[in-house]
Every structure is written in C-alpha cells, then in structure tokens.
Amino acid sequence: LYVDASIAISGDGSVINPFKTLQECLDYINTNSITGSAIFIKAGSYTHTTDINTGNAIYCEPNVFVTYTGAGDYAYKSSNSSPLTNIY
C-alpha cells in the first residue's frame, strides 16, 4: 500500500493512486483485516490516531514526519541518509 501527502485526491492505495493520508491507509487495513502487508510512505507530514496492526511494516522515504495522537503519543522523522526506513 502507498501513501503520498502531495497528491490532490486520495486513491485506492496503489502505487499509481496512493492514499493521501496515513489515517486512510490504516483505516483501510483495519476495515479489511489486512496483515502481512507493507506500507510505503512518500516524503511529507502525516498524523494518525489508529494503532497499526502488528504484522504490517511501514517504510518511509527520507523526510517523512509521522505523529501518532493515540495512547502513548509519539512522533517520528525519517532520516535523510537512508532511502527507506522501517519505523515499526
């Protein structure tokens, strides 16, 4: 699944039509009980309020800033030095 904050209209999560928000992606995963998938996040800022299912990996390009505002709030910024970083 793919997420890109820079697009104008959110899509279906494919590489050609990514979700605009991380929250939309997580809602899709939870609604469809998806496990074992990978989420690729393009550079940008994202906020989500939903826990991420264990068994789903998230990979970021450099310059991704993720804020979680649920139980145990946290923020994460990906490194500029590596192309993709697993943050969970």
Side-chain angles (χ1 to χ4, degrees):
L1 298 170
Y2 294 84
V3 183
D4 185 352
S6 71
I7 62 169
I9 299 171
S10 191
D12 60 7
S14 66
V15 68
I16 296 170
N17 296 304
F19 294 112
K20 182 170 180 64
T21 69
L22 180 56
Q23 187 64 56
E24 288 174 296
C25 183
L26 296 175
D27 290 346
Y28 177 82
I29 286 170
N30 290 331
T31 298
N32 295 289
S33 301
I34 295 171
T35 58
S37 62
I39 302 167
F40 296 92
I41 304 175
K42 300 288 276 180
S45 295
Y46 303 88
T47 300
H48 65 97
T49 58
T50 304
D51 274 337
I52 297 169
N53 287 341
T54 56
N56 291 301
I58 295 184
Y59 298 92
C60 307
E61 288 186 342
N63 299 313
V64 170
F65 186 77
V66 176
T67 304
Y68 172 65
T69 58
D73 293 354
Y74 63 82
Y76 177 86
K77 183 178 186 311
S78 63
S79 169
N80 292 333
S81 62
S82 61
L84 290 174
T85 304
N86 187 348
I87 63 172
Y88 294 97

